[in-house]
Amino acid sequence: DAKTTQPNSMESNEEEPVHLPCNHSTISGTDYIHWYRQLPSQGPEYVIHGLTSNVNNRMASLAIAEDRKSSTLILHRATLRDAAVYYCILRFWGSQGNLIFGKGTKLSVKP
Amino acid sequence: EAGVAQSPRYKIIEKRQSVAFWCNPISGHATLYWYQQILGQGPKLLIQFQNNGVVDDSQLPKDRFSAERLKGVDSTLKIQPAKLEDSAVYLCASSPGHKQPQHFGDGTRLSIL
């Protein structure tokens, strides 16, 4: 499976937008980009996923570079509840479903 | 809808003892996963079920770990005998099918003394 690279940690201020980057230079044409997040003492939570086009949902937006070698998860207005570890995961379309987690980015949100 | 339920929430045992974890997935979800998450790392898949059949158990240490999913609903994961290195959070997840997003429970935190 293609690997992803994320910063170990990021900080944000409450009510400001947050851009979480992910590099995946070896992505293949059939790899979907998935984002999950894990709040303290909880299991991971699905955030969003996409293939080529930018995606929006009630939680976040996913911006995918034209060459697909990087993507950015955008939280439009960070709240204290968004403090979590964010995982960027590539998932082959034909896979059995297994998610291969890296270490993710730990996001801290300051009031 | 009710989420993925796991029990117990915490478990402390001594090494060489046995332990079992239980998972009740979201109703109607055919795919069930067990992950192990060691402190400071991301979760790692142990085993995946599709209904009551095993799809992937390539990373399950089969000499000490076992799992079953009777009737394609609830699942149990067992460790016998436990080692110190098994200290981790054990997460259960389910999805309607293997291509859909996974829904995770809050896990069982296992400490081995």
Side-chain angles (χ1 to χ4, degrees):
Chain A
D1 292 283
K3 294 198 181 295
T4 63
T5 303
Q6 299 178 253
N8 289 332
S9 62
M10 289 183 63
E11 276 192 356
S12 171
N13 294 317
E14 196 176 12
E15 298 188 3
E16 289 185 357
V18 181
H19 289 66
L20 296 159
C22 181
N23 288 319
H24 29 77
S25 57
T26 60
I27 191 170
S28 75
T30 48
D31 283 336
Y32 279 79
I33 302 161
H34 287 249
W35 284 83
Y36 281 75
R37 71 179 185 181
Q38 189 169 21
L39 278 65
S41 300
Q42 294 187 24
E45 173 187 30
Y46 167 78
V47 178
I48 200 166
H49 77 280
L51 183 62
T52 56
S53 304
N54 295 344
V55 184
N56 300 298
N57 66 21
R58 64 174 179 81
M59 288 181 71
S61 296
L62 176 60
I64 301 173
E66 203 167 322
D67 63 4
R68 300 187 72 236
K69 292 181 185 247
S70 66
S71 60
T72 303
L73 179 71
I74 302 166
L75 307 179
H76 296 287
R77 276 180 81 243
T79 69
L80 297 177
R81 195 191 173 277
D82 291 322
V85 177
Y86 286 78
Y87 297 99
C88 171
I89 302 166
L90 299 185
R91 193 176 185 189
F92 170 54
W93 180 85
S95 77
Q96 291 294 337
N98 179 18
L99 295 172
I100 300 177
F101 289 82
K103 291 192 174 182
T105 297
K106 183 173 183 178
L107 175 67
S108 302
V109 180
K110 294 183 290 184
Chain B
E1 85 189 338
V4 175
Q6 290 189 247
S7 67
R9 193 78 168 89
Y10 304 93
K11 190 72 177 178
I12 301 173
I13 62 172
E14 294 186 349
K15 60 183 179 182
R16 291 187 288 275
Q17 286 187 324
S18 62
V19 64
F21 314 123
W22 174 81
C23 173
N24 180 231
I26 293 173
S27 177
H29 281 196
T31 312
L32 185 146
Y33 311 80
W34 283 101
Y35 289 84
Q36 178 193 59
Q37 185 172 24
I38 292 171
L39 188 65
Q41 299 181 19
K44 183 186 84 170
L45 180 74
L46 292 175
I47 189 166
Q48 177 184 343
F49 292 92
Q50 182 71 21
N51 296 308
N52 59 350
V54 175
V55 172
D56 182 357
D57 64 356
S58 58
Q59 299 198 75
L60 187 73
K62 297 180 187 64
D63 57 334
R64 298 183 300 105
F65 286 65
S66 64
E68 61 182 8
R69 189 182 184 196
L70 299 175
K71 300 181 182 178
V73 182
D74 292 5
S75 178
T76 55
L77 176 70
K78 296 178 182 176
I79 308 175
Q80 181 180 8
K83 291 185 175 181
L84 293 175
E85 68 215 46
D86 300 330
S87 292
V89 175
Y90 291 84
L91 295 159
C92 179
S94 70
S95 62
H98 67 275
K99 291 190 186 296
Q100 277 83 28
Q102 297 179 22
H103 300 256
F104 286 78
D106 287 335
T108 296
R109 182 176 296 277
L110 175 65
S111 298
I112 313 290
L113 303 179

